Amino acid sequence: MAEPQPANVTEGADPPDVVPANAEDRKAAAAMSSLDTRGDADASAPKKEVDLKALNEAMKSLGVDQESKKKPAAAAAAKKEKTKKLMKVDAADVALLADQLDISKPKATDLLRAHDANAVKEMTAWVTAAV
């Protein structure tokens, strides 16, 4: 049989809402709750548009915007373009890196170009990056 319940507990009642302890969790909870609210003020807007507006507002309140996501990607692409120098790479060095580091030959060629076609520098960088 079931155990008797305390007097202050009612069957089927929802547990009380717990307020998050730190500011970051409160901010995230507020953003999530804003997604739940309906945009009844603008009844003419379609549901998808209202949801999109709520999502954008929630993302802004969390401090995440699309521009900040694009900037690191653009910087990484520019850096990659800069590191791809056109230089002659010795085929023996490519074969050595491909064999010893267990990577493809195109990857070995790119790594050698990034390290001034110096196999010793590349292997040193490979080992230190792995640690």
Side-chain angles (χ1 to χ4, degrees), residues 34-129:
S34 72
L35 289 175
D36 294 337
T37 60
R38 293 208 169 242
D40 292 336
D42 189 15
S44 63
K47 182 177 179 5
K48 185 176 182 182
E49 212 172 286
V50 171
D51 290 343
L52 185 59
K53 287 179 184 177
L55 177 64
N56 287 337
E57 289 173 12
M59 294 298 279
K60 285 178 186 176
S61 69
L62 287 174
V64 177
D65 58 39
Q66 295 298 328
E67 293 300 319
S68 66
K69 288 182 180 177
K70 291 180 183 177
K71 288 179 183 176
K79 185 177 179 183
K80 188 173 183 179
E81 294 268 335
K82 189 175 96 174
T83 58
K84 282 199 169 190
K85 302 172 189 171
L86 292 178
M87 64 176 58
K88 191 169 186 173
V89 178
D90 190 15
D93 289 341
V94 173
L96 175 72
L97 288 179
D99 183 48
Q100 295 299 316
L101 301 179
D102 195 31
I103 57 175
S104 66
K105 287 186 179 185
K107 178 72 174 174
T109 304
D110 290 341
L111 291 174
L112 279 168
R113 285 185 179 150
H115 291 92
D116 300 323
N118 187 341
V120 175
K121 280 172 117 178
E122 165 46 37
M123 291 180 124
T124 304
W126 182 273
V127 170
T128 57

